């Protein structure tokens, strides 16, 4: 059976694009977004849990997040986890609710976030290149087994390279858009 599977390569490359978009959504740009709190994990009930499993996160205003904690005993740990997450956010506790004002971004912080967006994009490019390498290796394996000929292998390698180039262009476009949004240009 042939090891090369174009549909699998496309799926994996599309997954890298989606992962990058998810990572970029977590970078704040001065506007409130519930995805800002995605990296926050809270230590409750003797385990580390994502914030969305112990509270409801909403963005009632453009520059404010609201976190409604379900269990009253978890308010302190949620507050502590948000402060410790390194996001530069300081919650205001109001009973079982936390209000989180989104501060203005300084120029220095904007540059740090743009650099972080570039790092996320580079990780995604590496993932796509690894998928390309896997595809090329499986084509060579198929050729050695005699399942495909040399001409067929070269044609499919060209397809894999075109898919890789297209996917990397998508990654670059997503990263450039986020950097532009962060820097306010």
């Amino acid at each position: 059976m042939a090891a090369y599977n174009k549909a699998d390569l496309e799926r994996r490359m599309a997954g890298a694009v989606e992962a990058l978009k998810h990572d970029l959504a977590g970078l704040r740009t001065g506007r409130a977004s519930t995805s800002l709190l995605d990296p926050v994990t809270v230590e409750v009930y003797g385990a580390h849990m994502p914030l969305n499993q112990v509270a409801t996160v909403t963005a009632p205003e453009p520059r404010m997040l609201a976190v409604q904690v379900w269990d009253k005993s978890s308010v302190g740990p949620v507050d502590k986890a948000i402060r410790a997450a390194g996001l530069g956010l300081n919650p205001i506790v109001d009973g079982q609710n936390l209000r989180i004002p989104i501060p203005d971004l300084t120029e220095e912080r904007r540059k740090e976030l743009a650099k972080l967006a570039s790092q996320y994009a580079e990780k995604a490019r590496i993932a796509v290149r690894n998928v390309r390498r896997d595809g090329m290796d499986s084509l060579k394996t198929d050729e050695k087994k005699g399942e495909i000929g040399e001409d067929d292998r070269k044609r499919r390698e060209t397809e894999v390279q075109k898919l890789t180039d297209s996917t990397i262009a998508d990654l670059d476009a997503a990263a450039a858009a986020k950097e532009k949004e962060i820097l306010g240009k």
Side-chain angles (χ1 to χ4, degrees), residues 134-177:
D134 292 347
M136 298 294 194
D137 289 349
S138 63
L139 285 170
K140 289 175 185 170
T141 301
D142 288 350
E143 183 185 18
K144 285 180 184 175
K145 290 180 181 177
E147 294 177 5
I148 61 172
E150 182 179 356
D151 291 341
D152 203 23
R153 176 186 55 87
K154 287 184 179 182
R155 182 182 53 77
R156 290 182 182 176
E157 283 179 348
T158 303
E159 286 177 1
V160 171
Q161 187 59 47
K162 284 181 183 176
L163 178 62
T164 302
D165 293 342
S166 168
T167 305
I168 287 181
D170 292 346
L171 295 174
D172 291 344

Side-chain angles (χ1 to χ4, degrees), residues 20 42 49-50 61 70 88 93 95 102 109-110 115 122 128-129 133 154 158 175:
L20 174 65
V42 183
M49 303 173 78
E61 298 174 26
W70 301 327
V93 179
I102 306 298
R109 182 69 177 142
R110 287 178 188 273
K115 188 176 181 181
E122 185 56 31
V128 168
R129 288 192 293 264
R133 185 196 62 227
K154 287 184 179 182
T158 303

Side-chain angles (χ1 to χ4, degrees), residues 22-36:
H22 179 75
D23 289 345
L24 292 178
L27 295 178
R28 73 186 170 100
T29 58
R31 287 192 303 267
S33 168
T34 57
S35 62
L36 293 176

Side-chain angles (χ1 to χ4, degrees), residues 1 4 27 30 36 47 63 71 74 83 100 103 116-117 123 130 134 154 160 163 165-166 171 183:
M1 174 153 171
Y4 174 73
L27 295 178
L36 293 176
R63 305 197 38 82
D71 183 3
S74 300
R83 291 178 191 274
I100 307 169
L116 190 57
K123 286 180 185 176
N130 287 339
D134 292 347
K154 287 184 179 182
V160 171
L163 178 62
D165 293 342
S166 168
L171 295 174
L183 296 173

Side-chain angles (χ1 to χ4, degrees), residues 20-21 24 27 29 113-114 117-122 125 168-185:
L20 174 65
K21 287 180 180 178
L24 292 178
L27 295 178
T29 58
L113 289 173
S118 296
Q119 290 173 355
Y120 287 163
E122 185 56 31
R125 283 187 212 101
I168 287 181
D170 292 346
L171 295 174
D172 291 344
K178 189 63 173 187
E179 285 181 33
K180 182 178 178 185
E181 182 182 335
I182 289 170
L183 296 173
K185 295 179 181 175

Side-chain angles (χ1 to χ4, degrees), residues 49-112:
M49 303 173 78
L51 179 62
N52 64 5
Q53 291 184 7
V54 296
T56 303
V57 181
T58 58
E61 298 174 26
R63 305 197 38 82
M64 176 79 66
L65 286 174
V67 178
Q68 182 179 6
V69 182
W70 301 327
D71 183 3
K72 199 172 198 174
S73 65
S74 300
V75 173
V78 168
D79 178 40
K80 182 179 173 186
I82 293 170
R83 291 178 191 274
L87 300 172
L89 301 173
N90 295 310
I92 300 166
V93 179
D94 181 21
Q96 277 186 245
N97 298 314
L98 287 91
R99 289 179 287 124
I100 307 169
I102 306 298
D104 288 332
L105 293 175
T106 63
E107 187 64 25
E108 181 180 321
R109 182 69 177 142
R110 287 178 188 273
K111 288 179 181 175
E112 287 176 18

